[in-house]
Amino acid sequence: MRFSGLRVLKEGLTGNRGWKPHWRDPAPKQAYDIVIIGGGGHGLATAFYLAKEHGLRNVAVLEKGYFGGGNVGRNTTIVRANYFLPGNSEFYSHSLRLWEGLEQELNYNVMHSQRGLINLFHSDGQRDAFVRRGNAMINQGDDAELLDRDAVRRQLPYLDFDQARFPIHGGLLHRRGGTARHDAVAWGFARAASERGVDLIQNCEVTGIDVENGSVTGVQTSRGAIRARKVAIVTAGRSGQVAALAGLRLPIESHILQAFVTEGLKPVIDNVVSFGMGHFYISQSDKGGLVFGGDLDFYPSYAQRGNLPTKEHVMEAAMTLMPMIGKARVLRSWGGIMDMTPDGSPIIDRSDIGGLYLDCGWCYGGFKAVPGSGFALAHLLATDRPHESAVGLRLNRFRDGIGLMDEEGTGAQHNLH
Amino acid sequence: MRLTCPNCGERDLREFTYRGAALDRPEGAWSPAWDAYLHQRDNPAGASREHWWHGFGCSAFLVVERDTRTHDILSVSLASGGRQ
Ligand SMILES: Cc1cc2nc3c(=O)[nH]c(=O)nc-3n(C[C@H](O)[C@H](O)[C@H](O)COP(=O)(O)OP(=O)(O)OC[C@H]3O[C@@H](n4cnc5c(N)ncnc54)[C@H](O)[C@@H]3O)c2cc1C
Ligand SMILES: [Zn+2]
């Protein structure tokens, strides 16, 4: 079933009776070439690119809940390629290029909107840091423009420019940055993977990973045992628990990140905007809600809800930067479990167990990475070599102290990112 | 979430800073034990042993046992074990 404008028109005129489920719902087979644990954005994208790029279709995605129920459906949907360090730069640059062709490739409207991202700066030091970052982005082949105070004021007249404590000196504009509809990304990849023959299995929790003579042979699940030649752990905040099923410890702590949405409003915030002097960033969804967030709560948690001090900080930062939003009423807030690494950068690599692969450590930035990560993990699974965009995302960089990607420059230690 | 500091009593989360998993520090020069100590984590979903610092209170380092699924605090003690 292909989606098109004509199709929407036809269905609209005939009572919308022709729509079919977007993906098949097969029972799990006894064996697959490749089993992907976790049906978030990354797991589903991996399945799609395995089928599309490598012709591998004897593949299953095992999801303990439903597709879109994890972080892929809980994030604030910012998509950008404004990283600074080698390793991250080329990876996120590649991912953004995949985003730019994604809707055509999936034949699915993921509402990818390149509405521009503006990171504000508030001091000379911050300006220098953003000039450097902008140059790194341009060197990587992406876009960056430095805006002075007047240019920011023309674009974002609603900011508090009279603020004496945190004066707005300018911003770094990344025009190709923007947002997307988060669960549509999961659904779009699921539908496209299913169409190409991958088995997508929901309500199927992996409860054991079978290892014989140092190599993986399959998994135990709530729906029975499944044999596999290769197994990939793609379970975001749950990476630690799932890796423990194979006896592995990972350089990951799971932390809580909160987000907030207001009642629907008329269009008022056109871009994605981030505050440089407090932890706050915001965009407006196509439905009209202001979607915003801040920093981690900074303690390990699997509760999927955070504590009040972080909410308070985010609201204070919001009011400091754009007092107008004080009139909007917050509708909901929620939390997601973030797989935090010591340097704040991700891992796509083999593990020490034969046939067992890891895709984790996405911290609070893994939504933009969904296509890039799926592409790179599929490449690694199919060829046993890292894709050129992901050679830096090594598991052992912490142990070796080589190739750390600490974007914030605070040190490659847990709890600093 | 509130923590009951052995010195100060029950206090608001804002007064405390999480300082990482409470692990035994290895001795001597670099070895895989240091990698395990610095980087690798059990990352438990359930009871967890952690260091917290009462920076906006008595400045003691605390060992907190906490359920990471529910925010329940199971125990709080002084990391020094009460030694001066
Ligand atoms: C509040 C918030 C805001 C964020 N904002 C942004 C943003 O603006 N931009 C950005 O780029 N990123 C953002 N992120 C990060 C991003 O959402 C995540 O990094 C990314 O979604 C993680 O990858 P995933 O989609 O595969 O994870 P998930 O959707 O969490 O997928 C993992 C899946 O594994 C499944 N699973 C776990 N254990 C098992 C098991 N034993 N067996 C079977 N299945 C299992 C889970 O049920 C889950 O569905 C944000 C996250 C949060 C919480
Ligand atoms: Zn105290």
Side-chain angles (χ1 to χ4, degrees):
Chain A
M1 183 180 70
R2 276 192 70 76
F3 290 115
S4 65
L6 200 64
R7 184 74 202 262
V8 171
L9 197 67
K10 188 173 154 240
E11 290 295 337
L13 293 173
T14 55
N16 283 306
R17 281 187 297 269
W19 300 118
K20 300 260 166 11
H22 285 196
W23 52 83
R24 297 174 292 115
D25 184 23
K29 292 195 281 184
Q30 284 182 350
Y32 291 93
D33 291 337
I34 299 173
V35 158
I36 296 163
I37 308 175
H42 293 241
L44 293 166
T46 304
F48 168 73
Y49 289 113
L50 276 171
K52 172 165 181 282
E53 298 292 323
H54 306 281
L56 298 174
R57 298 188 163 82
N58 189 18
V59 174
V61 179
L62 310 181
E63 165 54 47
K64 76 171 174 186
Y66 62 93
F67 298 137
N71 288 333
V72 72
R74 292 177 162 260
N75 67 81
T76 45
T77 79
I78 296 164
V79 174
R80 56 188 165 90
N82 61 349
Y83 284 72
F84 180 58
L85 295 175
N88 280 333
S89 275
E90 60 264 34
F91 175 80
Y92 288 102
S93 179
H94 179 244
S95 194
L96 183 56
R97 275 181 276 126
L98 292 174
W99 273 103
E100 290 173 334
L102 198 61
E103 295 180 329
Q104 296 304 319
E105 180 151 71
L106 299 179
N107 177 233
Y108 208 89
N109 181 8
V110 301
M111 296 166 73
H112 182 211
S113 156
Q114 294 184 296
R115 57 185 67 184
L117 161 73
I118 300 174
N119 295 123
L120 298 169
F121 51 79
H122 310 265
S123 66
D124 290 347
Q126 271 194 332
R127 179 194 285 117
D128 291 349
F130 275 124
V131 168
R132 262 184 98 194
R133 179 173 294 268
N135 284 335
M137 290 158 66
I138 290 166
N139 285 340
Q140 182 57 50
D142 294 312
D143 69 285
E145 288 165 51
L146 202 71
L147 304 182
D148 63 15
R149 183 185 153 91
D150 290 339
V152 171
R153 195 167 197 153
R154 276 194 298 278
Q155 286 214 36
L156 313 176
Y158 50 80
L159 300 182
D160 184 358
F161 287 89
D162 301 328
Q163 177 47 255
R165 184 137 178 246
F166 306 119
I168 296 166
H169 285 207
L172 187 67
L173 169 63
H174 173 40
R175 287 188 194 275
R176 287 161 66 236
T179 59
R181 166 88 194 262
H182 47 16
D183 27 28
V185 174
W187 301 332
F189 272 114
R191 169 172 167 273
S194 177
E195 263 176 3
R196 282 170 177 75
V198 172
D199 280 0
L200 305 181
I201 300 164
Q202 303 183 73
N203 299 313
C204 182
E205 178 170 359
V206 171
T207 54
I209 297 178
D210 301 329
V211 179
E212 276 171 35
N213 302 322
S215 289
V216 74
T217 56
V219 294
Q220 302 293 324
T221 81
S222 54
R223 296 176 67 175
I226 300 174
R227 291 195 310 280
R229 290 194 302 113
K230 293 182 176 178
V231 173
I233 299 176
V234 195
T235 50
R238 290 276 165 181
S239 298
Q241 271 81 54
V242 178
L245 298 176
L248 297 176
R249 284 173 97 220
L250 299 179
I252 286 180
E253 266 188 17
S254 292
H255 283 247
I256 190 88
L257 180 68
Q258 305 195 53
F260 309 84
V261 67
T262 69
E263 60 195 337
L265 302 169
K266 290 197 171 163
V268 54
I269 293 178
D270 302 332
N271 317 89
V272 183
V273 181
S274 82
F275 187 23
M277 290 308 288
H279 296 288
F280 173 71
Y281 64 93
I282 189 165
S283 68
Q284 186 166 16
S285 79
D286 291 356
K287 227 163 42 178
L290 303 180
V291 181
F292 57 99
D295 215 341
L296 298 173
D297 275 36
F298 278 115
Y299 55 83
S301 176
Y302 290 87
Q304 290 197 324
R305 64 178 194 279
N307 257 291
L308 294 172
T310 302
K311 292 192 204 316
E312 187 177 44
H313 176 89
V314 171
M315 302 299 166
E316 282 171 356
M319 290 300 291
T320 305
L321 185 65
M322 44 180 83
M324 71 164 182
I325 77 164
K327 290 189 177 164
R329 277 170 298 194
V330 173
L331 213 56
R332 301 178 263 122
S333 73
W334 64 93
I337 307 168
M338 311 283 70
D339 33 338
M340 301 302 300
T341 57
D343 64 356
S345 292
I347 295 163
I348 301 180
D349 207 347
R350 284 175 283 246
S351 73
D352 290 339
I353 294 173
L356 186 63
Y357 298 75
L358 300 168
D359 179 304
C360 55
W362 293 100
C363 303
Y364 28 69
F367 179 65
K368 69 180 87 67
V370 163
S373 161
F375 197 96
L377 178 60
H379 185 94
L380 181 67
L381 282 162
T383 66
D384 260 314
R385 285 191 312 275
H387 184 255
E388 60 180 10
S389 67
V391 282
L393 312 186
R394 290 171 44 250
L395 170 65
N396 286 334
R397 63 181 184 269
F398 309 104
R399 183 195 68 192
D400 303 342
I402 297 168
L404 296 164
M405 293 174 289
D406 169 16
E407 292 272 336
E408 292 171 357
T410 48
Q413 270 183 50
H414 282 294
N415 206 31
L416 292 180
H417 297 277
Chain B
M1 194 159 89
R2 293 166 79 83
L3 295 178
T4 304
C5 172
N7 294 332
C8 313
E10 190 180 326
R11 293 297 184 95
D12 189 272
L13 176 62
R14 285 175 185 78
E15 297 187 3
F16 299 90
T17 311
Y18 167 73
R19 295 301 301 264
L23 304 171
D24 292 328
R25 187 172 159 161
E27 298 287 324
W30 176 258
S31 70
W34 278 99
D35 177 44
Y37 170 72
L38 290 170
H39 307 126
Q40 315 297 333
R41 292 290 178 264
D42 290 337
N43 198 17
S48 172
R49 259 186 106 243
E50 303 162 347
H51 284 137
W52 288 72
W53 177 49
H54 196 186
F56 291 92
C58 64
S59 174
F61 277 81
L62 308 173
V63 176
V64 174
E65 288 181 306
R66 201 170 58 85
D67 190 322
T68 57
R69 295 165 305 183
T70 59
H71 295 124
D72 284 344
I73 309 299
L74 309 174
S75 77
V76 183
S77 56
L78 295 173
S80 64
R83 289 184 312 258
Q84 290 302 309

